[in-house]
Amino acid sequence: MRQLLENGEQSAEENVSRFLTNIEAQNDTLHAFTQVYTDAALKRAAEVDQKIKAGRGGKLAGAVIGIKEAIVQRGEKATAGSRMLENFESVYDATAVRRLLDEDAIIIGRMNMDEFAMGSSTENSAFGPTRNPHDTERVPGGSSGGSAAAVAADMCHATLGSDTGGSIRQPASFCGVTGLRPTYGRVSRYGLIAYASSFDSIGPLTRTVEDAGLILEVLAGHDVHDATSSAREVEDYAQAAGQSVEGLRIGLPEEYFGDGLEAETGKLVRKRIEELEARGAIVVPLTLPHTKVAIATYYILATAEASSNLARYDGIRYGHRADQKKVAQDLAAEKKAIQDAGGDISELDSALIRLYKQSRTEGFGTEVKRRIMLGTYVLSAGYYDAYYGKAQRIRRLIQNDFIQAFNKCDVIVSPTSPGTAFRIGEKTDDPLQMYLSDIYTISANLAGIPAISVPAGKHATDGLPVGIQFMAPHFAEKQLIRAAAAVERLVRGAD
Ligand code: GLN
């Protein structure tokens, strides 16, 4: 596309118009976009066209990109999929957004997500679910479901998502696109509405592996606004897409191919691994023994961090505020009733506490409340050591599993998810089933390592996309791109 733009065979304006037509035709059904910047995107496209013509186009000149609702942009609403932030408008740009704009990308709108990125299906969005473009009765995955669906349905070139336990990779897998979660600290989190700060990362969802590398090159790098961002040099990630897998050592963890993996999904992933082997990759069987406790560990640590991060939504400084007058009136009426009956009102909350409670009761959805309660519990005096402290120590053991494994291999391969996209409503009544759909993605976040999901092909019986995941040592994103691009060539029949 970049070449076509430079040769004048295409214009950014035409591209934006085409995407807007696609959005108009499909978004009522899919609900991938929560906001579409129709006029602003067209205007910016015209400006970018001028820049390209003048030979001054940046690295992403003309790339049309959608942004997950959790990543803020100046002057635009950022809801994080929550009623709590329904009317919240950001006064600054997330660093990730700033960097895209600095390289002349065109931002076309904002993408639906599970509320505060808690979920695996986008059904937890306060604004209604997103549907999977491959089968609209099915979920697109989550929490970056809108980001994945939009790329799959050709509504933009790429999107940004965020990944705390799999939220870029699992939806990418369900929708048949590529999703890259960078090493923790590779991309600044400044302007990402926090869920679990020691796990959160921003990354791209794209049509090709090379695109994912290219966008990562733009996003990555140190940022004074995020103390956890790394000063390590940014590499030529995209270039690694052209490298062969000859000699690449691919670790095969037995725990990721056992019970719980749907048979045809496993078969297709194994087939791709054999094909990589036939092209010179070396398959190394290995074990990650703490995999079985990864989900439990994650749901203690992530909810603990969430309960702390979400404490800021008090309805006073910003976010949803309940009807203050009504809260005060109700309290007065309650007091009077108790006093009339000769009761004691000293235990009643103050009007301010009532307002906090009512605002949070109205602003947060069920899953978010569940997690705030879980997280508050595991951090509470008396339970802290038994839950939070223990989970922290297990997190270290999980990291050690990976460090050991990477002594023997360059990347680790697995399915991205135990099965293909499930039906809307199928797992909403059973949080544990929903949590289990992240079983293969969550460990990378616990260890802070990078991982990518790339389409492996279509499932033999349901015809839905199946994703294959690669994980790599800290900051070895190039190896991910190299391995994933090889799978991409196989799927496209280009190798
Ligand atoms: N599905 C996982 C959760 O609900 C991961 C979400 C994410 O990566 N943001 O916590």
Side-chain angles (χ1 to χ4, degrees):
M1 179 207 72
R2 186 60 198 267
Q3 247 155 33
L4 295 175
L5 288 175
E6 266 164 19
N7 299 341
E9 290 171 57
Q10 241 181 40
S11 74
E13 224 177 329
E14 284 161 14
N15 285 340
V16 169
S17 300
R18 185 173 63 81
F19 287 134
L20 288 171
T21 308
N22 286 352
I23 293 170
E24 189 150 343
Q26 302 176 83
N27 201 48
D28 282 349
T29 310
L30 298 179
H31 195 223
F33 278 85
T34 42
Q35 302 175 54
V36 184
Y37 302 158
T38 308
D39 297 336
L42 283 169
K43 186 166 165 262
R44 182 158 166 92
E47 287 162 14
V48 170
D49 277 331
Q50 290 309 318
K51 268 191 147 176
I52 295 172
K53 246 192 216 145
R56 290 187 290 109
K59 200 163 177 168
L60 295 178
V64 181
I65 299 184
I67 308 290
K68 187 178 183 177
E69 277 284 359
I71 304 168
V72 305
Q73 185 174 352
R74 187 187 170 130
E76 304 290 353
K77 281 188 181 169
T79 66
S82 182
R83 288 261 170 254
M84 187 55 93
L85 292 175
E86 192 167 7
N87 297 308
F88 172 71
E89 205 178 282
S90 177
V91 294
Y92 70 102
D93 279 331
T95 299
V97 168
R98 189 71 257 148
R99 290 190 175 175
L100 294 180
L101 292 172
D102 286 347
E103 292 297 340
D104 296 324
I106 298 159
I107 299 199
I108 190 163
R110 299 181 68 78
M111 319 313 304
N112 199 18
M113 60 182 280
D114 284 301
E115 184 175 4
F116 286 107
M118 298 174 186
S120 308
S121 67
T122 317
E123 291 165 293
N124 295 338
S125 168
F127 309 107
T130 296
R131 290 171 183 271
N132 191 315
H134 295 272
D135 177 348
T136 53
E137 294 306 310
R138 293 180 188 260
V139 303
S143 64
S144 313
S147 299
V151 175
D154 200 26
M155 294 162 138
C156 52
H157 289 124
T159 51
L160 292 190
S162 66
D163 192 312
T164 305
S167 277
I168 288 175
R169 292 160 285 156
Q170 185 255 23
S173 150
F174 280 11
C175 290
V177 303
T178 293
L180 171 62
R181 173 211 137 84
T183 306
Y184 182 79
R186 181 68 296 186
V187 174
S188 168
R189 287 179 294 115
Y190 183 65
L192 170 63
I193 296 172
Y195 160 18
S197 308
S198 78
F199 298 85
D200 294 343
S201 57
I202 293 176
L205 292 99
T206 54
R207 302 173 183 180
T208 70
V209 174
E210 190 182 1
D211 282 355
L214 193 64
I215 294 177
L216 181 62
E217 286 173 24
V218 171
L219 298 177
H222 183 250
D223 176 15
V224 290
H225 297 302
D226 175 3
T228 64
S229 68
S230 169
R232 267 177 95 112
E233 208 180 319
V234 177
E235 298 173 273
D236 302 332
Y237 304 112
Q239 220 181 41
Q243 250 174 295
S244 111
V245 288
E246 179 100 51
L248 184 74
R249 297 170 304 161
I250 301 181
L252 201 92
E254 62 177 85
E255 292 81 0
Y256 286 60
F257 290 86
D259 282 352
L261 174 58
E262 189 274 321
E264 289 298 332
T265 303
K267 227 163 120 182
L268 182 54
V269 171
R270 281 179 191 282
K271 174 174 163 238
R272 295 303 177 203
I273 297 167
E274 280 162 23
E275 289 169 342
L276 292 177
E277 205 173 6
R279 279 153 187 81
I282 303 149
V283 174
V284 186
L286 51 84
T287 158
L288 296 166
H290 293 93
T291 302
K292 56 183 182 297
V293 290
I295 297 244
T297 306
Y298 170 83
Y299 277 98
I300 288 172
L301 297 177
T303 58
E305 293 186 27
S307 75
S308 167
N309 272 327
L310 271 56
R312 72 188 68 173
Y313 302 106
D314 57 6
I316 303 298
R317 279 166 300 180
Y318 53 85
H320 174 79
R321 184 185 301 176
D323 182 340
Q324 205 164 340
K325 227 163 121 194
K326 184 161 186 310
V327 169
Q329 279 167 357
D330 288 352
L331 179 62
E334 211 175 301
K335 269 188 187 162
K336 186 167 181 304
I338 295 174
Q339 279 167 332
D340 287 352
D344 174 17
I345 57 161
S346 64
E347 296 287 303
L348 282 185
D349 288 333
S350 68
L352 181 63
I353 298 285
R354 277 285 173 104
L355 184 61
Y356 290 156
K357 283 189 178 171
Q358 192 58 26
S359 300
R360 289 167 68 84
T361 299
E362 293 170 5
F364 291 136
T366 312
E367 182 61 24
V368 173
K369 286 177 183 156
R370 178 174 9 250
R371 296 197 188 191
I372 291 173
M373 286 191 281
L374 251 172
T376 306
Y377 178 77
V378 301
L379 287 174
S380 59
Y383 294 105
Y384 183 93
D385 288 338
Y387 295 109
Y388 186 78
K390 192 167 180 185
Q392 286 284 48
R393 291 194 292 278
I394 295 172
R395 183 177 193 177
R396 168 60 66 182
L397 297 178
I398 291 170
Q399 282 171 358
N400 288 349
D401 278 0
F402 281 98
I403 291 167
Q404 297 258 311
F406 287 126
N407 285 329
K408 290 184 242 154
C409 63
D410 304 305
V411 293
I412 293 174
V413 71
S414 77
T416 306
S417 184
T420 51
F422 44 89
R423 286 181 196 286
I424 291 180
E426 192 178 320
K427 296 185 199 252
T428 37
D429 296 333
D430 189 345
L432 191 58
Q433 277 309 312
M434 190 73 91
Y435 298 172
L436 281 171
S437 73
D438 299 319
I439 187 134
Y440 303 139
T441 51
I442 256 168
S443 293
N445 300 71
L446 285 157
I449 58 174
I452 195 167
S453 176
V454 64
K458 296 282 169 67
H459 189 271
T461 52
D462 67 22
L464 291 165
V466 171
I468 185 169
Q469 173 179 245
F470 293 97
M471 298 180 271
H474 294 103
F475 299 101
E477 279 86 354
K478 274 181 106 163
Q479 300 292 8
L480 292 181
I481 301 278
R482 176 183 172 197
V487 172
E488 185 174 58
R489 286 193 294 273
L490 292 170
V491 172
R492 294 187 177 172
D495 187 10

